[in-house]
């Protein structure tokens, strides 16, 4: 019994010594979690062939921060993407690169049978360099990591950005899409700048959604969050506009100009500014608990539907 106690105390002492060594080493690394990783990345490169111009870009990575940079000093598309490797230099992810009929597709998947012992605490960066004067269709997706569009004016035929764990940030980029613009996160915020398209869909599951600049759509704008708030800081113009939050506030700071407007929140306050006169709208109100400054009316050529279960409603008009 005495020997067992001695062995136990020796084990505890070694454990404490190991914890101290780890703490000191981690502190010396600047508390950088990448220090704990046993995965390294090698940067690979795709360059567009001028004789076979690319029109559509599809990127789908399990683990990557995706950055899009619009540049006026290049003529061809370039994509720099990370290849994950273990310390032995063996690939632990499979990357499939396909180029067919004007479309480049770069898709990553991890080899699950060896991924159990691969720890990477920081998502590597994938960079898409776009020529300023070219128009592409963009479909960018990442499971772990953010998607960021940098400064500049981006013209696309359509654009889809999806991040599972990470944010979508286009605040400093002006985007013009001939088709749909669809931005979606599961766990992460959506922060957008100036945006124009035929249809606009901005959606989060757990995270806030903020529109910092003007949004213009020929057909419709849809803003949706489940657990989070929606805030628009500049005007939205479309034929139809819908904004909804399950648990969170709606804060429409600047005006909405549309023929049909639907605003709804289950648990949260609803504040909105609507373009035009109140008399322009036929108004429907669904409200359970809280104060409201708007009531139902008929006779307008446009429609405004406002719904709030638990929270206050405050709606104003520009005229």
């Amino acid at each position: 019994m005495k020997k067992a106690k001695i062995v136990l105390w020796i084990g505890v002492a070694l454990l404490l010594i190991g914890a101290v060594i780890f703490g000191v080493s981690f502190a010396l690394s600047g508390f950088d979690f990448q220090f704990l990783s046993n995965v390294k990345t090698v940067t690979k490169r795709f360059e567009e062939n001028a004789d076979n111009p690319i029109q559509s870009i599809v990127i789908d990575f399990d683990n990557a921060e995706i950055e899009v940079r619009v540049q006026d000093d290049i003529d061809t598309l370039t994509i720099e993407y990370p290849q994950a490797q273990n310390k032995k230099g063996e690939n632990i992810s499979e990357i499939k690169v396909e180029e067919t009929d004007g479309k480049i597709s770069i898709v990553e998947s991890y080899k699950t049978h060896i991924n159990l012992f691969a720890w990477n605490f920081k998502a590597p960066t994938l960079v898409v360099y776009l020529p300023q004067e070219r128009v592409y269709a963009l479909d960018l997706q990442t499971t772990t990591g953010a998607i960021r569009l940098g400064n500049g004016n981006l013209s696309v035929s359509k654009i889809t950005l999806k991040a599972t764990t990470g944010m979508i940030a286009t605040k400093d980029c002006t985007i013009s899409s001939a088709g749909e613009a669809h931005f979606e996160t599961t766990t992460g915020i959506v922060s957008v700048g100036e945006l124009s398209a035929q249809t606009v869909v901005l959606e989060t599951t757990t995270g806030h959604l903020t529109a910092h600049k003007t949004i213009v759509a020929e057909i419709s704008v849809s803003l949706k969050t489940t657990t989070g708030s929606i805030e628009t800081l500049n005007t939205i113009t479309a034929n139809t506009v819908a904004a909804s939050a399950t648990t969170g506030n709606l804060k429409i700071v600047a005006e909405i100009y549309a023929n049909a407007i639907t605003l709804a929140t289950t648990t949260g306050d609803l504040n909105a500014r609507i373009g035009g006169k109140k008399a322009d709208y036929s108004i429907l109100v669904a409200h359970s608990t809280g104060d409201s400054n708007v009531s139902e009316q008929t006779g307008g050529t446009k429609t405004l539907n406002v719904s709030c279960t638990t929270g206050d409603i405050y709606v104003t008009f520009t005229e």
Side-chain angles (χ1 to χ4, degrees):
M1 186 71 177
K2 187 175 181 180
K3 289 183 178 180
K5 287 185 177 180
I6 292 173
V7 171
L8 177 61
W9 281 112
I10 290 173
V12 172
L14 291 174
L15 182 62
L16 292 174
I17 292 170
V20 171
I21 293 173
F22 169 80
V24 172
S25 300
F26 192 36
L28 291 174
S29 74
F31 297 100
D32 183 1
F33 280 95
Q34 188 62 20
F35 169 77
L36 305 177
S37 300
N38 62 0
V39 174
K40 64 178 183 178
T41 57
V42 176
T43 300
K44 295 194 172 183
R45 188 180 180 95
F46 167 83
E47 292 189 26
E48 178 184 23
N49 186 331
D51 295 329
N52 297 293
I54 297 296
Q55 298 173 339
S56 177
I57 302 167
V58 176
I59 293 174
D60 189 349
F61 263 61
D62 281 350
N63 186 44
E65 300 268 346
I66 299 177
E67 294 183 8
V68 177
R69 302 177 187 175
V70 182
Q71 297 188 222
D72 58 7
D73 58 347
I74 60 175
D75 298 319
T76 56
L77 164 72
T78 301
I79 302 172
E80 294 179 348
Y81 58 94
Q83 170 70 69
Q85 296 182 342
N86 59 25
K87 294 298 184 181
K88 297 179 181 180
E90 301 169 331
N91 292 342
I92 61 173
S93 65
E94 296 178 350
I95 299 179
K96 191 174 183 180
V97 180
E98 290 185 336
E99 182 182 359
T100 55
D101 300 326
K103 175 182 176 181
I104 177 64
S105 173
I106 305 178
V107 178
E108 177 194 55
S109 60
Y110 271 79
K111 302 176 180 179
T112 54
H113 63 285
I114 63 173
N115 192 37
L116 295 175
F117 302 100
W119 306 311
N120 193 1
F121 291 90
K122 184 177 180 181
T125 302
L126 183 154
V127 184
V128 180
Y129 298 93
L130 297 177
Q132 177 76 66
E133 301 302 323
R134 297 280 299 281
V135 176
Y136 298 94
L138 290 183
D139 185 344
L140 311 180
Q141 301 188 41
T142 179
T143 302
T144 303
I147 301 176
R148 294 181 175 88
L149 275 61
N151 296 338
N153 299 319
L154 175 62
S155 295
V156 293
S157 56
K158 62 180 179 179
I159 181 169
T160 300
L161 307 178
K162 292 185 179 182
T164 302
T165 304
M167 71 182 297
I168 293 176
T170 69
K171 178 182 175 181
D172 299 319
C173 186
T174 298
I175 302 171
S176 176
S177 174
E180 183 182 53
H182 187 155
F183 304 166
E184 181 179 343
T185 69
T186 302
T187 304
I189 68 172
V190 172
S191 175
V192 301
E194 189 168 340
L195 177 59
S196 62
Q198 277 195 329
T199 60
V200 173
V201 178
L202 306 179
E203 184 173 354
T204 73
T205 301
T206 303
H208 299 302
L209 193 162
T210 305
H212 295 271
K213 298 181 182 178
T214 60
I215 296 177
V216 178
E218 292 182 23
I219 301 173
S220 63
V221 172
S222 174
L223 313 177
K224 185 178 181 181
T225 181
T226 302
T227 304
S229 298
I230 295 174
E231 185 174 20
T232 64
L233 303 177
N234 216 312
T235 58
I236 297 177
T237 304
N239 184 48
T240 64
V241 173
S244 65
T246 303
T247 304
N249 299 323
L250 292 186
K251 189 176 181 181
I252 312 300
V253 177
E255 305 85 48
I256 294 177
Y257 294 93
N259 292 317
I261 302 171
T262 301
L263 306 175
T265 180
T266 303
T267 304
D269 295 332
L270 192 161
N271 292 270
R273 186 164 172 78
I274 308 299
K277 300 176 182 178
K278 184 179 179 182
D280 295 338
Y281 293 87
S282 292
I283 302 175
L284 292 176
V285 180
H287 189 219
S288 297
T289 304
D291 297 327
S292 174
N293 77 327
V294 64
S295 56
E296 294 191 350
Q297 68 180 36
T298 59
T301 58
K302 303 176 182 179
T303 61
L304 172 62
N305 294 339
V306 181
S307 174
C308 180
T309 304
T310 304
D312 298 333
I313 296 176
Y314 185 74
V315 177
T316 59
F317 296 83
T318 58
E319 299 179 33

